[in-house]
Amino acid sequence: MRQWISQIRRLMLLLCCTILPLWNTHARAETASANVTTSAKAAVLIERNTGNILLCANENTPLPMASTTKVMTALMALELGNMDDIVTVGRNAYGVPGTSIYLSEGEKISLRDLLYGLLMASGNDAAVAIAEHIGGDVDTFCRMMTERAAELGCRHTVFINPNGLPAQGHQTTAYDLALIAREAMNHPLFREIVSTRRASIPWEGRSYHRILNNKNRLLTDYDGATGIKTGYTKAAGRCLVFGAKRNGLEVIGVVLCCGDWFDEAARLMDLGFAKYEYFTAFSQGEAVRQVPVADGVSETVSVLASQTLAAPLPKGYLPALVLDLPEKLPAGLTAGDQVGTAQLVLEGRVLHSVTLVAGDTIGKRDYSYELERFWRLWPVQPEEMAQ
């Protein structure tokens, strides 16, 4: 039934794409704002695929973020490290204050196991060991973290250490942290670790393993929870990066300095799932339109969506589909060539945009093609004339 309704909505979108902008303008006053009241000092809820903000409060206010810092530490390790690397724990990683996996100086442990200790047990010592392995030293690694965050669009994020211990100037925003988590969730290993409730990793020199228990209560209490990371210091308060997926809609959220962090995260996600639904206009590779070809060996070519065109929508609303395509395409196209764009637009705001590509290679008409075509269409074949 749900699939049938989705198909009807997609048909309406295609039939009405020229008049929907007027309908959306009329509906503007009725669309609820993304602003939300929250017990957190700052909060945001975004949709993972597009990064669109669903709910927010003080989302661009710089604040300390405690151990949620480690989402960025993990992302750097995943992007720059080899998970099978064996890391030798240095003196700086031994005895780091706060939460720990009790690394010993000189201990050898794989980068993969350090990530488990970092994200599940929030090991401050694991963060330093990773930083020195990837960056050579902590200061260099933190500069790398800050630069990478800026590349992701984080405008107010500065990392002074890799673990989130209190430090002057160590800060982010709820929105910046959501962007970092969104990128990290593209890595299957990260998703696996942050959604794991209990695991064990080797403990060199001992006959038993380290047992790691995830402190994220949402993994057991919230339907569809995907992680992600807890954090607490007296200066930062309770901080939480969280996520869940229901009915095709995947969200990522952040609350900073929030006393009832798990309850508030659940409330924000409930509100997001109640207010929004995931709308798909075209799947990756799906034909969007047939476009005429000038002087081609074929008269038309199928134009395909290079990626899935989809976005979260307030329930009860239908977006405008805006296609930017020429009336005719030139011959000589190769399958996969970019020929235009498709956008989902609601109230003048672009929800998602994808490129459109040629579905086939279309050669140009030339002399040899026309000659072959002439003989193919000639009513009397040469063999018949000879007889």
PDB file of all heavy atoms in Angstrom, residues 338-375:
ATOM      1  N   GLN A 338      27.272  14.432 -18.623  1.00  0.00           N
ATOM      2  CA  GLN A 338      26.316  15.289 -17.922  1.00  0.00           C
ATOM      3  C   GLN A 338      25.602  16.181 -18.933  1.00  0.00           C
ATOM      4  O   GLN A 338      26.232  16.831 -19.773  1.00  0.00           O
ATOM      5  CB  GLN A 338      27.022  16.143 -16.878  1.00  0.00           C
ATOM      6  CG  GLN A 338      26.083  17.045 -16.098  1.00  0.00           C
ATOM      7  CD  GLN A 338      26.786  17.821 -14.996  1.00  0.00           C
ATOM      8  OE1 GLN A 338      27.859  17.418 -14.545  1.00  0.00           O
ATOM      9  NE2 GLN A 338      26.203  18.921 -14.578  1.00  0.00           N
ATOM     10  N   VAL A 339      24.259  16.221 -18.822  1.00  0.00           N
ATOM     11  CA  VAL A 339      23.478  17.015 -19.775  1.00  0.00           C
ATOM     12  C   VAL A 339      22.547  18.005 -19.082  1.00  0.00           C
ATOM     13  O   VAL A 339      21.912  18.831 -19.751  1.00  0.00           O
ATOM     14  CB  VAL A 339      22.649  16.089 -20.704  1.00  0.00           C
ATOM     15  CG1 VAL A 339      23.573  15.248 -21.570  1.00  0.00           C
ATOM     16  CG2 VAL A 339      21.709  15.202 -19.901  1.00  0.00           C
ATOM     17  N   GLY A 340      22.425  17.942 -17.764  1.00  0.00           N
ATOM     18  CA  GLY A 340      21.532  18.860 -17.056  1.00  0.00           C
ATOM     19  C   GLY A 340      21.463  18.538 -15.588  1.00  0.00           C
ATOM     20  O   GLY A 340      22.279  17.771 -15.057  1.00  0.00           O
ATOM     21  N   THR A 341      20.479  19.131 -14.913  1.00  0.00           N
ATOM     22  CA  THR A 341      20.266  18.898 -13.481  1.00  0.00           C
ATOM     23  C   THR A 341      18.782  18.730 -13.195  1.00  0.00           C
ATOM     24  O   THR A 341      17.922  19.189 -13.968  1.00  0.00           O
ATOM     25  CB  THR A 341      20.804  20.062 -12.625  1.00  0.00           C
ATOM     26  OG1 THR A 341      20.120  21.269 -12.989  1.00  0.00           O
ATOM     27  CG2 THR A 341      22.297  20.245 -12.804  1.00  0.00           C
ATOM     28  N   ALA A 342      18.497  18.083 -12.084  1.00  0.00           N
ATOM     29  CA  ALA A 342      17.126  17.976 -11.573  1.00  0.00           C
ATOM     30  C   ALA A 342      17.138  18.387 -10.109  1.00  0.00           C
ATOM     31  O   ALA A 342      18.036  17.997  -9.359  1.00  0.00           O
ATOM     32  CB  ALA A 342      16.596  16.554 -11.727  1.00  0.00           C
ATOM     33  N   GLN A 343      16.148  19.187  -9.720  1.00  0.00           N
ATOM     34  CA  GLN A 343      16.067  19.684  -8.352  1.00  0.00           C
ATOM     35  C   GLN A 343      14.679  19.446  -7.779  1.00  0.00           C
ATOM     36  O   GLN A 343      13.678  19.520  -8.500  1.00  0.00           O
ATOM     37  CB  GLN A 343      16.369  21.186  -8.299  1.00  0.00           C
ATOM     38  CG  GLN A 343      17.758  21.582  -8.716  1.00  0.00           C
ATOM     39  CD  GLN A 343      17.956  23.091  -8.692  1.00  0.00           C
ATOM     40  OE1 GLN A 343      17.001  23.847  -8.877  1.00  0.00           O
ATOM     41  NE2 GLN A 343      19.176  23.534  -8.446  1.00  0.00           N
ATOM     42  N   LEU A 344      14.650  19.160  -6.479  1.00  0.00           N
ATOM     43  CA  LEU A 344      13.410  19.201  -5.722  1.00  0.00           C
ATOM     44  C   LEU A 344      13.380  20.524  -4.979  1.00  0.00           C
ATOM     45  O   LEU A 344      14.306  20.840  -4.229  1.00  0.00           O
ATOM     46  CB  LEU A 344      13.324  18.031  -4.735  1.00  0.00           C
ATOM     47  CG  LEU A 344      13.120  16.646  -5.341  1.00  0.00           C
ATOM     48  CD1 LEU A 344      13.094  15.587  -4.242  1.00  0.00           C
ATOM     49  CD2 LEU A 344      11.825  16.589  -6.143  1.00  0.00           C
ATOM     50  N   VAL A 345      12.320  21.306  -5.196  1.00  0.00           N
ATOM     51  CA  VAL A 345      12.228  22.654  -4.632  1.00  0.00           C
ATOM     52  C   VAL A 345      10.931  22.800  -3.854  1.00  0.00           C
ATOM     53  O   VAL A 345       9.852  22.421  -4.339  1.00  0.00           O
ATOM     54  CB  VAL A 345      12.297  23.721  -5.749  1.00  0.00           C
ATOM     55  CG1 VAL A 345      12.219  25.128  -5.165  1.00  0.00           C
ATOM     56  CG2 VAL A 345      13.583  23.561  -6.560  1.00  0.00           C
ATOM     57  N   LEU A 346      11.035  23.343  -2.646  1.00  0.00           N
ATOM     58  CA  LEU A 346       9.848  23.621  -1.827  1.00  0.00           C
ATOM     59  C   LEU A 346       9.969  25.034  -1.279  1.00  0.00           C
ATOM     60  O   LEU A 346      10.969  25.377  -0.637  1.00  0.00           O
ATOM     61  CB  LEU A 346       9.742  22.613  -0.675  1.00  0.00           C
ATOM     62  CG  LEU A 346       8.514  22.751   0.223  1.00  0.00           C
ATOM     63  CD1 LEU A 346       7.240  22.450  -0.570  1.00  0.00           C
ATOM     64  CD2 LEU A 346       8.604  21.813   1.429  1.00  0.00           C
ATOM     65  N   GLU A 347       8.971  25.851  -1.588  1.00  0.00           N
ATOM     66  CA  GLU A 347       8.939  27.236  -1.121  1.00  0.00           C
ATOM     67  C   GLU A 347      10.191  28.006  -1.516  1.00  0.00           C
ATOM     68  O   GLU A 347      10.748  28.784  -0.749  1.00  0.00           O
ATOM     69  CB  GLU A 347       8.754  27.292   0.395  1.00  0.00           C
ATOM     70  CG  GLU A 347       7.459  26.655   0.861  1.00  0.00           C
ATOM     71  CD  GLU A 347       7.279  26.731   2.362  1.00  0.00           C
ATOM     72  OE1 GLU A 347       8.232  27.132   3.069  1.00  0.00           O
ATOM     73  OE2 GLU A 347       6.190  26.396   2.820  1.00  0.00           O
ATOM     74  N   GLY A 348      10.665  27.757  -2.726  1.00  0.00           N
ATOM     75  CA  GLY A 348      11.832  28.471  -3.213  1.00  0.00           C
ATOM     76  C   GLY A 348      13.155  27.944  -2.712  1.00  0.00           C
ATOM     77  O   GLY A 348      14.212  28.456  -3.090  1.00  0.00           O
ATOM     78  N   ARG A 349      13.135  26.919  -1.875  1.00  0.00           N
ATOM     79  CA  ARG A 349      14.368  26.363  -1.309  1.00  0.00           C
ATOM     80  C   ARG A 349      14.671  25.029  -1.978  1.00  0.00           C
ATOM     81  O   ARG A 349      13.810  24.152  -2.053  1.00  0.00           O
ATOM     82  CB  ARG A 349      14.226  26.176   0.195  1.00  0.00           C
ATOM     83  CG  ARG A 349      15.501  25.690   0.880  1.00  0.00           C
ATOM     84  CD  ARG A 349      15.376  25.819   2.391  1.00  0.00           C
ATOM     85  NE  ARG A 349      14.433  24.869   2.935  1.00  0.00           N
ATOM     86  CZ  ARG A 349      14.759  23.683   3.436  1.00  0.00           C
ATOM     87  NH1 ARG A 349      16.022  23.308   3.450  1.00  0.00           N
ATOM     88  NH2 ARG A 349      13.844  22.896   3.932  1.00  0.00           N
ATOM     89  N   VAL A 350      15.896  24.875  -2.471  1.00  0.00           N
ATOM     90  CA  VAL A 350      16.308  23.621  -3.099  1.00  0.00           C
ATOM     91  C   VAL A 350      16.555  22.581  -2.012  1.00  0.00           C
ATOM     92  O   VAL A 350      17.433  22.739  -1.165  1.00  0.00           O
ATOM     93  CB  VAL A 350      17.585  23.821  -3.948  1.00  0.00           C
ATOM     94  CG1 VAL A 350      18.037  22.480  -4.537  1.00  0.00           C
ATOM     95  CG2 VAL A 350      17.334  24.832  -5.058  1.00  0.00           C
ATOM     96  N   LEU A 351      15.773  21.505  -2.042  1.00  0.00           N
ATOM     97  CA  LEU A 351      15.917  20.437  -1.055  1.00  0.00           C
ATOM     98  C   LEU A 351      17.021  19.463  -1.442  1.00  0.00           C
ATOM     99  O   LEU A 351      17.733  18.955  -0.588  1.00  0.00           O
ATOM    100  CB  LEU A 351      14.594  19.685  -0.895  1.00  0.00           C
ATOM    101  CG  LEU A 351      13.373  20.509  -0.506  1.00  0.00           C
ATOM    102  CD1 LEU A 351      12.144  19.613  -0.438  1.00  0.00           C
ATOM    103  CD2 LEU A 351      13.596  21.203   0.834  1.00  0.00           C
ATOM    104  N   HIS A 352      17.126  19.195  -2.741  1.00  0.00           N
ATOM    105  CA  HIS A 352      18.152  18.271  -3.218  1.00  0.00           C
ATOM    106  C   HIS A 352      18.326  18.489  -4.707  1.00  0.00           C
ATOM    107  O   HIS A 352      17.363  18.826  -5.414  1.00  0.00           O
ATOM    108  CB  HIS A 352      17.752  16.816  -2.936  1.00  0.00           C
ATOM    109  CG  HIS A 352      18.884  15.849  -3.079  1.00  0.00           C
ATOM    110  ND1 HIS A 352      18.687  14.516  -3.400  1.00  0.00           N
ATOM    111  CD2 HIS A 352      20.222  16.005  -2.963  1.00  0.00           C
ATOM    112  CE1 HIS A 352      19.865  13.906  -3.452  1.00  0.00           C
ATOM    113  NE2 HIS A 352      20.804  14.785  -3.202  1.00  0.00           N
ATOM    114  N   SER A 353      19.535  18.294  -5.194  1.00  0.00           N
ATOM    115  CA  SER A 353      19.843  18.475  -6.606  1.00  0.00           C
ATOM    116  C   SER A 353      20.769  17.362  -7.062  1.00  0.00           C
ATOM    117  O   SER A 353      21.690  16.974  -6.336  1.00  0.00           O
ATOM    118  CB  SER A 353      20.509  19.839  -6.828  1.00  0.00           C
ATOM    119  OG  SER A 353      20.885  20.001  -8.183  1.00  0.00           O
ATOM    120  N   VAL A 354      20.508  16.822  -8.260  1.00  0.00           N
ATOM    121  CA  VAL A 354      21.382  15.801  -8.834  1.00  0.00           C
ATOM    122  C   VAL A 354      21.630  16.131 -10.291  1.00  0.00           C
ATOM    123  O   VAL A 354      20.853  16.855 -10.934  1.00  0.00           O
ATOM    124  CB  VAL A 354      20.775  14.382  -8.722  1.00  0.00           C
ATOM    125  CG1 VAL A 354      20.516  14.011  -7.272  1.00  0.00           C
ATOM    126  CG2 VAL A 354      19.497  14.259  -9.551  1.00  0.00           C
ATOM    127  N   THR A 355      22.725  15.627 -10.813  1.00  0.00           N
ATOM    128  CA  THR A 355      23.009  15.817 -12.232  1.00  0.00           C
ATOM    129  C   THR A 355      22.249  14.783 -13.052  1.00  0.00           C
ATOM    130  O   THR A 355      21.952  13.677 -12.586  1.00  0.00           O
ATOM    131  CB  THR A 355      24.517  15.687 -12.520  1.00  0.00           C
ATOM    132  OG1 THR A 355      24.980  14.406 -12.081  1.00  0.00           O
ATOM    133  CG2 THR A 355      25.292  16.775 -11.803  1.00  0.00           C
ATOM    134  N   LEU A 356      21.936  15.155 -14.291  1.00  0.00           N
ATOM    135  CA  LEU A 356      21.294  14.261 -15.241  1.00  0.00           C
ATOM    136  C   LEU A 356      22.319  13.895 -16.306  1.00  0.00           C
ATOM    137  O   LEU A 356      23.090  14.749 -16.751  1.00  0.00           O
ATOM    138  CB  LEU A 356      20.086  14.937 -15.880  1.00  0.00           C
ATOM    139  CG  LEU A 356      18.985  15.374 -14.914  1.00  0.00           C
ATOM    140  CD1 LEU A 356      17.876  16.113 -15.663  1.00  0.00           C
ATOM    141  CD2 LEU A 356      18.416  14.180 -14.161  1.00  0.00           C
ATOM    142  N   VAL A 357      22.315  12.635 -16.721  1.00  0.00           N
ATOM    143  CA  VAL A 357      23.330  12.154 -17.662  1.00  0.00           C
ATOM    144  C   VAL A 357      22.663  11.442 -18.834  1.00  0.00           C
ATOM    145  O   VAL A 357      21.531  10.955 -18.731  1.00  0.00           O
ATOM    146  CB  VAL A 357      24.325  11.202 -16.966  1.00  0.00           C
ATOM    147  CG1 VAL A 357      25.067  11.914 -15.855  1.00  0.00           C
ATOM    148  CG2 VAL A 357      23.613   9.966 -16.421  1.00  0.00           C
ATOM    149  N   ALA A 358      23.392  11.393 -19.945  1.00  0.00           N
ATOM    150  CA  ALA A 358      22.914  10.665 -21.114  1.00  0.00           C
ATOM    151  C   ALA A 358      22.911   9.172 -20.830  1.00  0.00           C
ATOM    152  O   ALA A 358      23.863   8.627 -20.264  1.00  0.00           O
ATOM    153  CB  ALA A 358      23.793  10.977 -22.318  1.00  0.00           C
ATOM    154  N   GLY A 359      21.832   8.513 -21.235  1.00  0.00           N
ATOM    155  CA  GLY A 359      21.720   7.084 -20.972  1.00  0.00           C
ATOM    156  C   GLY A 359      22.395   6.217 -22.025  1.00  0.00           C
ATOM    157  O   GLY A 359      22.670   5.044 -21.775  1.00  0.00           O
ATOM    158  N   ASP A 360      22.664   6.783 -23.199  1.00  0.00           N
ATOM    159  CA  ASP A 360      23.263   6.021 -24.295  1.00  0.00           C
ATOM    160  C   ASP A 360      24.302   6.872 -25.025  1.00  0.00           C
ATOM    161  O   ASP A 360      24.293   8.103 -24.932  1.00  0.00           O
ATOM    162  CB  ASP A 360      22.193   5.591 -25.309  1.00  0.00           C
ATOM    163  CG  ASP A 360      21.172   4.653 -24.694  1.00  0.00           C
ATOM    164  OD1 ASP A 360      21.556   3.543 -24.300  1.00  0.00           O
ATOM    165  OD2 ASP A 360      19.990   5.046 -24.618  1.00  0.00           O
ATOM    166  N   THR A 361      25.172   6.196 -25.744  1.00  0.00           N
ATOM    167  CA  THR A 361      26.104   6.874 -26.643  1.00  0.00           C
ATOM    168  C   THR A 361      25.396   7.117 -27.972  1.00  0.00           C
ATOM    169  O   THR A 361      24.860   6.179 -28.577  1.00  0.00           O
ATOM    170  CB  THR A 361      27.370   6.030 -26.852  1.00  0.00           C
ATOM    171  OG1 THR A 361      28.047   5.894 -25.597  1.00  0.00           O
ATOM    172  CG2 THR A 361      28.305   6.682 -27.860  1.00  0.00           C
ATOM    173  N   ILE A 362      25.377   8.368 -28.419  1.00  0.00           N
ATOM    174  CA  ILE A 362      24.679   8.729 -29.657  1.00  0.00           C
ATOM    175  C   ILE A 362      25.679   9.293 -30.652  1.00  0.00           C
ATOM    176  O   ILE A 362      26.233  10.383 -30.466  1.00  0.00           O
ATOM    177  CB  ILE A 362      23.569   9.773 -29.394  1.00  0.00           C
ATOM    178  CG1 ILE A 362      22.610   9.278 -28.302  1.00  0.00           C
ATOM    179  CG2 ILE A 362      22.818  10.083 -30.684  1.00  0.00           C
ATOM    180  CD1 ILE A 362      21.838   8.039 -28.675  1.00  0.00           C
ATOM    181  N   GLY A 363      25.936   8.527 -31.718  1.00  0.00           N
ATOM    182  CA  GLY A 363      26.870   8.982 -32.737  1.00  0.00           C
ATOM    183  C   GLY A 363      26.278  10.038 -33.646  1.00  0.00           C
ATOM    184  O   GLY A 363      25.052  10.224 -33.711  1.00  0.00           O
ATOM    185  N   LYS A 364      27.158  10.742 -34.369  1.00  0.00           N
ATOM    186  CA  LYS A 364      26.714  11.760 -35.314  1.00  0.00           C
ATOM    187  C   LYS A 364      26.385  11.135 -36.668  1.00  0.00           C
ATOM    188  O   LYS A 364      26.986  10.144 -37.076  1.00  0.00           O
ATOM    189  CB  LYS A 364      27.813  12.813 -35.500  1.00  0.00           C
ATOM    190  CG  LYS A 364      28.111  13.640 -34.273  1.00  0.00           C
ATOM    191  CD  LYS A 364      29.211  14.664 -34.582  1.00  0.00           C
ATOM    192  CE  LYS A 364      29.515  15.503 -33.347  1.00  0.00           C
ATOM    193  NZ  LYS A 364      30.588  16.504 -33.625  1.00  0.00           N
ATOM    194  N   ARG A 365      25.431  11.750 -37.337  1.00  0.00           N
ATOM    195  CA  ARG A 365      25.160  11.340 -38.712  1.00  0.00           C
ATOM    196  C   ARG A 365      26.290  11.850 -39.603  1.00  0.00           C
ATOM    197  O   ARG A 365      26.616  13.034 -39.599  1.00  0.00           O
ATOM    198  CB  ARG A 365      23.844  11.944 -39.190  1.00  0.00           C
ATOM    199  CG  ARG A 365      22.613  11.397 -38.501  1.00  0.00           C
ATOM    200  CD  ARG A 365      21.366  12.000 -39.114  1.00  0.00           C
ATOM    201  NE  ARG A 365      20.166  11.507 -38.464  1.00  0.00           N
ATOM    202  CZ  ARG A 365      18.930  11.863 -38.828  1.00  0.00           C
ATOM    203  NH1 ARG A 365      18.768  12.736 -39.825  1.00  0.00           N
ATOM    204  NH2 ARG A 365      17.889  11.371 -38.196  1.00  0.00           N
ATOM    205  N   ASP A 366      26.896  10.939 -40.376  1.00  0.00           N
ATOM    206  CA  ASP A 366      27.933  11.339 -41.316  1.00  0.00           C
ATOM    207  C   ASP A 366      27.661  10.683 -42.677  1.00  0.00           C
ATOM    208  O   ASP A 366      26.629  10.027 -42.883  1.00  0.00           O
ATOM    209  CB  ASP A 366      29.324  10.980 -40.784  1.00  0.00           C
ATOM    210  CG  ASP A 366      29.446   9.505 -40.413  1.00  0.00           C
ATOM    211  OD1 ASP A 366      28.596   8.714 -40.872  1.00  0.00           O
ATOM    212  OD2 ASP A 366      30.397   9.155 -39.682  1.00  0.00           O
ATOM    213  N   TYR A 367      28.597  10.846 -43.598  1.00  0.00           N
ATOM    214  CA  TYR A 367      28.368  10.334 -44.958  1.00  0.00           C
ATOM    215  C   TYR A 367      28.161   8.821 -44.969  1.00  0.00           C
ATOM    216  O   TYR A 367      27.253   8.308 -45.619  1.00  0.00           O
ATOM    217  CB  TYR A 367      29.545  10.718 -45.850  1.00  0.00           C
ATOM    218  CG  TYR A 367      29.450  10.157 -47.247  1.00  0.00           C
ATOM    219  CD1 TYR A 367      28.622  10.747 -48.202  1.00  0.00           C
ATOM    220  CD2 TYR A 367      30.194   9.022 -47.602  1.00  0.00           C
ATOM    221  CE1 TYR A 367      28.518  10.217 -49.480  1.00  0.00           C
ATOM    222  CE2 TYR A 367      30.084   8.489 -48.878  1.00  0.00           C
ATOM    223  CZ  TYR A 367      29.255   9.095 -49.816  1.00  0.00           C
ATOM    224  OH  TYR A 367      29.150   8.556 -51.074  1.00  0.00           O
ATOM    225  N   SER A 368      29.016   8.084 -44.244  1.00  0.00           N
ATOM    226  CA  SER A 368      28.904   6.628 -44.249  1.00  0.00           C
ATOM    227  C   SER A 368      27.586   6.173 -43.617  1.00  0.00           C
ATOM    228  O   SER A 368      26.964   5.214 -44.091  1.00  0.00           O
ATOM    229  CB  SER A 368      30.088   6.003 -43.502  1.00  0.00           C
ATOM    230  OG  SER A 368      30.122   6.446 -42.152  1.00  0.00           O
ATOM    231  N   TYR A 369      27.157   6.886 -42.590  1.00  0.00           N
ATOM    232  CA  TYR A 369      25.881   6.531 -41.966  1.00  0.00           C
ATOM    233  C   TYR A 369      24.726   6.762 -42.948  1.00  0.00           C
ATOM    234  O   TYR A 369      23.837   5.915 -43.094  1.00  0.00           O
ATOM    235  CB  TYR A 369      25.666   7.352 -40.700  1.00  0.00           C
ATOM    236  CG  TYR A 369      24.263   7.244 -40.135  1.00  0.00           C
ATOM    237  CD1 TYR A 369      23.879   6.148 -39.374  1.00  0.00           C
ATOM    238  CD2 TYR A 369      23.313   8.230 -40.402  1.00  0.00           C
ATOM    239  CE1 TYR A 369      22.583   6.037 -38.888  1.00  0.00           C
ATOM    240  CE2 TYR A 369      22.021   8.131 -39.919  1.00  0.00           C
ATOM    241  CZ  TYR A 369      21.658   7.038 -39.163  1.00  0.00           C
ATOM    242  OH  TYR A 369      20.371   6.932 -38.683  1.00  0.00           O
ATOM    243  N   GLU A 370      24.739   7.929 -43.638  1.00  0.00           N
ATOM    244  CA  GLU A 370      23.653   8.244 -44.557  1.00  0.00           C
ATOM    245  C   GLU A 370      23.635   7.279 -45.734  1.00  0.00           C
ATOM    246  O   GLU A 370      22.565   6.876 -46.219  1.00  0.00           O
ATOM    247  CB  GLU A 370      23.797   9.691 -45.045  1.00  0.00           C
ATOM    248  CG  GLU A 370      23.611  10.740 -43.959  1.00  0.00           C
ATOM    249  CD  GLU A 370      22.195  10.784 -43.428  1.00  0.00           C
ATOM    250  OE1 GLU A 370      21.306  10.108 -44.000  1.00  0.00           O
ATOM    251  OE2 GLU A 370      21.955  11.479 -42.415  1.00  0.00           O
ATOM    252  N   LEU A 371      24.835   6.874 -46.220  1.00  0.00           N
ATOM    253  CA  LEU A 371      24.889   5.936 -47.327  1.00  0.00           C
ATOM    254  C   LEU A 371      24.327   4.583 -46.923  1.00  0.00           C
ATOM    255  O   LEU A 371      23.538   3.968 -47.647  1.00  0.00           O
ATOM    256  CB  LEU A 371      26.334   5.787 -47.814  1.00  0.00           C
ATOM    257  CG  LEU A 371      26.550   4.875 -49.030  1.00  0.00           C
ATOM    258  CD1 LEU A 371      25.799   5.417 -50.239  1.00  0.00           C
ATOM    259  CD2 LEU A 371      28.036   4.732 -49.334  1.00  0.00           C
ATOM    260  N   GLU A 372      24.734   4.124 -45.745  1.00  0.00           N
ATOM    261  CA  GLU A 372      24.216   2.844 -45.251  1.00  0.00           C
ATOM    262  C   GLU A 372      22.711   2.910 -45.068  1.00  0.00           C
ATOM    263  O   GLU A 372      21.982   1.975 -45.404  1.00  0.00           O
ATOM    264  CB  GLU A 372      24.894   2.493 -43.927  1.00  0.00           C
ATOM    265  CG  GLU A 372      24.405   1.179 -43.341  1.00  0.00           C
ATOM    266  CD  GLU A 372      24.993   0.911 -41.965  1.00  0.00           C
ATOM    267  OE1 GLU A 372      25.932   1.633 -41.559  1.00  0.00           O
ATOM    268  OE2 GLU A 372      24.493  -0.011 -41.285  1.00  0.00           O
ATOM    269  N   ARG A 373      22.248   4.031 -44.546  1.00  0.00           N
ATOM    270  CA  ARG A 373      20.808   4.199 -44.319  1.00  0.00           C
ATOM    271  C   ARG A 373      20.060   4.229 -45.654  1.00  0.00           C
ATOM    272  O   ARG A 373      18.961   3.671 -45.777  1.00  0.00           O
ATOM    273  CB  ARG A 373      20.582   5.497 -43.547  1.00  0.00           C
ATOM    274  CG  ARG A 373      19.134   5.782 -43.154  1.00  0.00           C
ATOM    275  CD  ARG A 373      19.082   6.951 -42.184  1.00  0.00           C
ATOM    276  NE  ARG A 373      17.723   7.284 -41.829  1.00  0.00           N
ATOM    277  CZ  ARG A 373      16.973   8.180 -42.473  1.00  0.00           C
ATOM    278  NH1 ARG A 373      17.473   8.830 -43.523  1.00  0.00           N
ATOM    279  NH2 ARG A 373      15.735   8.429 -42.083  1.00  0.00           N
ATOM    280  N   PHE A 374      20.661   4.885 -46.661  1.00  0.00           N
ATOM    281  CA  PHE A 374      20.037   4.944 -47.980  1.00  0.00           C
ATOM    282  C   PHE A 374      19.818   3.539 -48.541  1.00  0.00           C
ATOM    283  O   PHE A 374      18.721   3.198 -49.010  1.00  0.00           O
ATOM    284  CB  PHE A 374      20.914   5.773 -48.927  1.00  0.00           C
ATOM    285  CG  PHE A 374      20.453   5.738 -50.359  1.00  0.00           C
ATOM    286  CD1 PHE A 374      19.399   6.527 -50.790  1.00  0.00           C
ATOM    287  CD2 PHE A 374      21.081   4.894 -51.274  1.00  0.00           C
ATOM    288  CE1 PHE A 374      18.979   6.472 -52.115  1.00  0.00           C
ATOM    289  CE2 PHE A 374      20.668   4.843 -52.597  1.00  0.00           C
ATOM    290  CZ  PHE A 374      19.598   5.644 -53.028  1.00  0.00           C
ATOM    291  N   TRP A 375      20.854   2.717 -48.482  1.00  0.00           N
ATOM    292  CA  TRP A 375      20.731   1.364 -49.030  1.00  0.00           C
ATOM    293  C   TRP A 375      19.793   0.496 -48.194  1.00  0.00           C
ATOM    294  O   TRP A 375      19.081  -0.350 -48.737  1.00  0.00           O
ATOM    295  CB  TRP A 375      22.104   0.706 -49.120  1.00  0.00           C
ATOM    296  CG  TRP A 375      22.921   1.213 -50.275  1.00  0.00           C
ATOM    297  CD1 TRP A 375      24.035   1.960 -50.235  1.00  0.00           C
ATOM    298  CD2 TRP A 375      22.628   1.012 -51.651  1.00  0.00           C
ATOM    299  NE1 TRP A 375      24.489   2.260 -51.490  1.00  0.00           N
ATOM    300  CE2 TRP A 375      23.626   1.679 -52.408  1.00  0.00           C
ATOM    301  CE3 TRP A 375      21.612   0.338 -52.354  1.00  0.00           C
ATOM    302  CZ2 TRP A 375      23.637   1.685 -53.793  1.00  0.00           C
ATOM    303  CZ3 TRP A 375      21.645   0.342 -53.742  1.00  0.00           C
ATOM    304  CH2 TRP A 375      22.649   1.011 -54.448  1.00  0.00           C
TER     305      TRP A 375
END
